[in-house]
């Protein structure tokens, strides 16, 4: 088994596995070098269609392709960095890389206990079906072992990186986001880091990500501005929920209602949305009137269209000062990008 550092930024495909997908949307195939913007792609009745026009129409897909190319390069870079750190430490100790990994990773991870295997089995009964414990125990044990090895592997690599100067110069792509002035925002407009999140309230991964977002807002108070944008995936109650949050915003309670939708269980039916409004002491008449008017539909539709133009295919999708992060990622993934942005701002004076 080959041990090296897992990439600190997952591949786009892996990231999408942590989010809700927009059916039918897929990244375009890889292309060669970018053509000249004024190059003619076709002529219709003697009238030219330029590559600039083509690229404008394909902007979203091209942005996804650029991000995927970066993720692939970043993963490869992280693997090379990990290998060099391992080789340097192995040379310092006078052992082979395999021997070093055996001593610092494999030997430090105990086998899962029968109790741990049984616990996973009991928690997974709905997915396991009628298979017996004896049938699935070896698979569960192997999965727990691999997870523990991966965690120790990442920990050891962090230890090596902490003792060695490593400077990454690979540049991440940035999307140009035009955030509407009336978009719900939390935090000062002057904050050095702006996080724009595209969410669907019926996406379970958006619910899962909220705990991380809460932690970010608390830890980086005054340094981060959080902006909400809707990206509806066509689920039955996505639009009514998005309307409800914005209607709560008319009464100055957008973020409370927004968070309520993401952390409190409910079916998001009309009755459920009204109950959530009552729990926040909103004016029920104003709230119901707003919901019935569809007054925020144009803003919601614009946010969705902006998301498509950015090449978004699933939720949640975040942009940290324009740098894309897809899916319900752990706190450390956000922290890495935020700290990088803050450091860059400090270096600029």
């Amino acid at each position: 088994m080959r041990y090296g550092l897992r990439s600190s930024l997952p591949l786009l495909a892996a990231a999408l596995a942590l989010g809700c997908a927009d059916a039918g949307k897929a990244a375009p195939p890889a292309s060669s070098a970018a053509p000249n913007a004024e190059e003619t792609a076709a002529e219709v009745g003697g009238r030219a269609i330029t590559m600039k026009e083509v690229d404008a129409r394909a902007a979203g897909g091209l942005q996804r392709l650029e991000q995927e190319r970066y993720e692939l390069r970043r993963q490869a870079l992280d693997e090379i960095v990990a290998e060099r750190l391992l080789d340097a430490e192995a040379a310092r100790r006078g052992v082979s890389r395999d021997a070093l990994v055996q001593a610092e990773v494999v030997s430090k991870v105990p086998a899962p206990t029968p109790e741990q295997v049984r616990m996973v089995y009991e928690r997974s009964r709905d997915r396991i079906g009628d298979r017996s414990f004896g049938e699935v125990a070896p698979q569960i044990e192997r999965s727990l072992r691999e997870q523990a090895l991966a965690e120790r592997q990442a920990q050891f690599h962090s230890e090596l990186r902490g003792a060695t100067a490593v400077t990454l110069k690979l540049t991440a792509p940035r999307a140009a986001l035009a955030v509407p002035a009336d978009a719900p925002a939390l935090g000062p407009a002057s904050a050095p880091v702006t996080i724009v999140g595209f969410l669907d309230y019926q996406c379970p991964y958006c619910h899962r990500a909220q705990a991380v977002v809460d932690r970010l807002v608390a830890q980086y108070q005054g340094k981060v501005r959080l902006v909400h944008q809707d990206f509806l995936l066509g689920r039955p109650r996505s639009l009514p929920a998005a309307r409800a949050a914005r209607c709560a915003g008319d009464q100055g309670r957008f973020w409370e209602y927004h968070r309520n939708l993401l952390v409190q269980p409910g079916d998001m039916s009309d009755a459920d949305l009204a109950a959530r409004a009552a729990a926040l002491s909103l004016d029920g008449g104003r709230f119901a009137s707003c919901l019935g008017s569809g007054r925020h539909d144009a803003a919601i539709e614009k946010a969705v269209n902006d998301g498509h133009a950015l090449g978004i295919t699933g939720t949640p999708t975040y942009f940290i000062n324009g740098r894309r992060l897809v899916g319900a990622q752990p706190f450390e993934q956000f922290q890495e990008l935020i700290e990088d942005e803050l450091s860059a701002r400090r270096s600029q004076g």
Side-chain angles (χ1 to χ4, degrees):
M1 182 175 182
R2 179 170 177 252
Y3 292 98
L5 173 68
R6 291 178 298 170
S7 171
S8 60
L9 287 177
L11 291 176
L12 184 59
L16 286 175
L18 299 173
C20 300
D22 187 3
K25 299 291 181 179
S31 61
S32 56
N36 186 300
E38 300 306 321
E39 180 182 335
T40 298
E43 291 185 356
V44 179
R47 185 177 176 185
I49 299 174
T50 67
M51 284 306 304
K52 183 177 181 180
E53 294 176 87
V54 173
D55 286 352
R57 182 67 61 89
L62 291 173
Q63 286 197 40
R64 291 198 303 273
L65 178 60
E66 182 182 7
Q67 180 69 23
E68 184 174 1
R69 185 177 287 117
Y70 167 76
E71 299 286 1
L72 288 166
R73 286 172 172 160
R74 177 62 191 267
Q75 183 187 44
L77 176 61
D78 283 348
E79 289 175 356
I80 294 170
V81 168
E83 289 166 1
R84 293 197 179 181
L85 288 171
L86 284 171
D87 288 342
E89 180 65 13
R92 188 184 71 81
R93 299 189 189 187
V95 299
S96 68
R97 185 200 295 178
D98 287 345
L100 175 64
V101 171
Q102 180 67 34
E104 292 293 341
V105 178
V106 179
S107 67
K108 294 189 176 183
V109 177
T113 65
E115 291 76 17
Q116 289 173 321
V117 176
R118 172 66 70 172
M119 184 180 300
V120 172
Y121 173 76
E122 295 298 337
R123 289 178 178 176
S124 308
R125 293 294 292 271
D126 57 332
R127 298 194 302 273
I128 292 174
D130 59 359
R131 287 181 292 170
S132 69
F133 176 73
E135 289 179 280
V136 300
Q139 180 182 347
I140 294 174
E141 184 175 354
R142 184 168 57 252
S143 178
L144 289 173
R145 171 75 173 168
E146 289 176 352
Q147 180 180 345
L149 285 169
E151 289 172 356
R152 171 54 194 159
Q153 170 187 322
Q155 180 185 8
F156 181 50
H157 181 74
S158 294
E159 294 167 5
L160 294 179
R161 284 193 66 158
T164 308
V166 178
T167 304
L168 301 182
K169 297 185 177 182
L170 183 65
T171 303
R174 293 182 189 270
L177 279 74
V179 178
D182 61 350
L186 182 66
S190 59
V193 177
T194 296
I195 302 176
V196 181
F198 285 80
L199 282 73
D200 182 316
Y201 290 112
Q202 281 205 293
C203 169
Y205 293 94
C206 294
H207 297 193
R208 185 183 301 178
Q210 186 58 36
V212 171
V213 172
D214 287 342
R215 185 178 170 189
L216 289 170
V217 170
Q219 180 160 326
Y220 291 100
Q221 191 170 14
K223 297 179 181 179
V224 164
R225 181 179 185 232
L226 181 64
V227 178
H228 169 77
Q229 290 285 63
D230 294 293
F231 191 79
L232 310 186
L233 301 176
R235 301 187 177 198
R237 301 301 297 176
S238 295
L239 178 57
R243 286 172 175 163
R246 290 179 181 255
C247 287
D250 289 347
Q251 299 186 45
R253 305 297 296 276
F254 171 84
W255 288 103
E256 294 91 334
Y257 198 96
H258 165 91
R259 188 174 185 281
N260 184 282
L261 285 170
L262 293 172
V263 303
Q264 297 298 330
D267 59 7
M268 300 188 191
S269 62
D270 289 345
D272 179 58
L273 296 177
R276 293 174 189 270
L280 292 174
S281 301
L282 299 182
D283 183 315
R286 284 182 59 193
F287 182 78
S289 176
C290 175
L291 277 181
S293 70
R295 58 174 293 180
H296 293 292
D297 285 9
I300 294 170
E301 183 179 5
K302 183 181 186 308
V304 173
N305 289 337
D306 287 348
H308 283 303
L310 290 165
I312 295 174
T313 60
T315 58
T317 294
Y318 299 95
F319 293 89
I320 295 89
N321 281 0
R323 295 167 65 177
R324 187 183 310 244
L325 190 58
V326 182
Q329 300 292 343
F331 175 83
E332 291 74 18
Q333 296 283 38
F334 286 89
Q335 185 180 42
E336 178 183 346
L337 295 182
I338 292 171
E339 291 293 342
D340 193 36
E341 293 299 309
L342 292 175
S343 177
R345 179 64 64 91
R346 286 192 293 268
S347 67
Q348 294 170 2

